[in-house]
Amino acid sequence: AQKITQTQPGMFVQEKEAVTLDCTYDTSDQSYGLFWYKQPSSGEMIFLIYQGSYDEQNATEGRYSLNFQKARKSANLVISASQLGDSAMYFCAMRDTGGFKTIFGAGTRLFVKA
Amino acid sequence: DAGITQSPRYKITETGRQVTLMCHQTWSHSYMFWYRQDLGHGLRLIYYSAAADITDKGEVPDGYVVSRSKTENFPLTLESATRSQTSVYFCASSPRRSKGQGKTQYFGPGTRLLVL
């Protein structure tokens, strides 16, 4: 069965520093997609970044990058130059190969300190 | 561009009552999803739909019913609400694209449901 694990319930980072949020996954599929979403205190789910299992390069979107290590089945999110507005809940998710069903990890709450 | 909307945004009901949560999207996305979010569980898929009149169960479908008579609407009904169904419910949609980021899901604002 597919599974997403986020082992960090909460993280603190100083403003302007980089932070890595961990995500490991388990799947027997060869083709899958990995996503990160941000959920601020207002509650909405905001798509941040996507990585396909066959993508050779790590995905980047502005200050977000995904450190994809396929052999280790990890897909860590790196946020560079943290901002106060980055304080939020972050979810790692994986889509199965056959369709559009997506499973989510339990999330990591990030606190950015001024 | 309204995107994806949910109504009501907040709902209080009593155990045993039927409740319907509405979801509407203006993008003509083929796929639509219902999730519930509970502390410590992230989001769990309740039901999803690949197109009008095509629905399938997700991870936690018990106690819920869905329908999709039109592409843009995907209502979720709690037939007889229980306290364990107190949660935040998210609707999401995704376009019919075969590869990559095209399968990103776009979420509605959520409905906070309290069952007393």
Side-chain angles (χ1 to χ4, degrees), chain A:
Chain A
Q2 295 183 321
K3 186 177 180 181
I4 293 280
T5 302
Q6 295 180 253
T7 57
Q8 306 154 313
M11 289 278 290
F12 286 87
V13 64
Q14 195 67 40
E15 191 179 12
K16 300 181 183 178
E17 292 185 350
V19 62
T20 297
L21 306 184
D22 294 340
C23 173
T24 58
Y25 60 92
D26 189 19
T27 181
S28 57
D29 292 339
Q30 295 301 309
S31 177
Y32 49 89
L34 296 157
F35 301 81
W36 277 92
Y37 287 86
K38 173 183 178 181
Q39 187 178 40
S41 57
S42 53
E44 71 266 35
M45 294 287 289
I46 302 167
F47 165 73
L48 293 178
I49 196 167
Y50 167 84
Q51 178 84 41
S53 59
Y54 290 117
D55 294 341
E56 294 184 353
Q57 291 194 341
N58 288 341
T60 60
E61 290 285 349
R63 293 186 300 110
Y64 304 107
S65 61
L66 200 152
N67 184 2
F68 181 47
Q69 298 188 40
K70 194 170 182 177
R72 294 186 177 184
K73 292 188 175 179
S74 73
N76 299 338
L77 177 70
V78 180
I79 305 174
S80 62
S82 297
Q83 302 172 355
L84 295 178
D86 293 334
S87 292
M89 196 76 167
Y90 289 82
F91 291 99
C92 180
M94 177 169 62
R95 168 189 56 77
D96 74 345
T97 185
F100 285 68
K101 291 170 74 171
T102 302
I103 59 169
F104 287 78
T108 295
R109 184 166 294 280
L110 178 66
F111 300 91
V112 180
K113 300 182 290 183

Side-chain angles (χ1 to χ4, degrees), chain A residues 33 35 37 39 41-52 55 59 61 89 91 95-107 109, chain B residues 9 31 33 35 37 40-45 48 56-59 88 90 94-109 112:
Chain A
F35 301 81
Y37 287 86
Q39 187 178 40
S41 57
S42 53
E44 71 266 35
M45 294 287 289
I46 302 167
F47 165 73
L48 293 178
I49 196 167
Y50 167 84
Q51 178 84 41
D55 294 341
E61 290 285 349
M89 196 76 167
F91 291 99
R95 168 189 56 77
D96 74 345
T97 185
F100 285 68
K101 291 170 74 171
T102 302
I103 59 169
F104 287 78
R109 184 166 294 280
Chain B
R9 294 293 312 279
Y31 281 81
F33 309 82
Y35 293 90
Q37 183 178 23
H41 287 280
L43 277 76
R44 291 183 291 176
L45 181 64
Y48 70 105
D56 204 354
K57 295 178 180 180
E59 183 183 357
V88 180
F90 285 97
S94 184
R96 180 177 291 280
R97 292 178 192 163
S98 60
K99 296 182 180 180
Q101 192 167 314
K103 290 193 175 181
T104 299
Q105 296 182 19
Y106 299 92
F107 286 81
R112 291 182 180 273

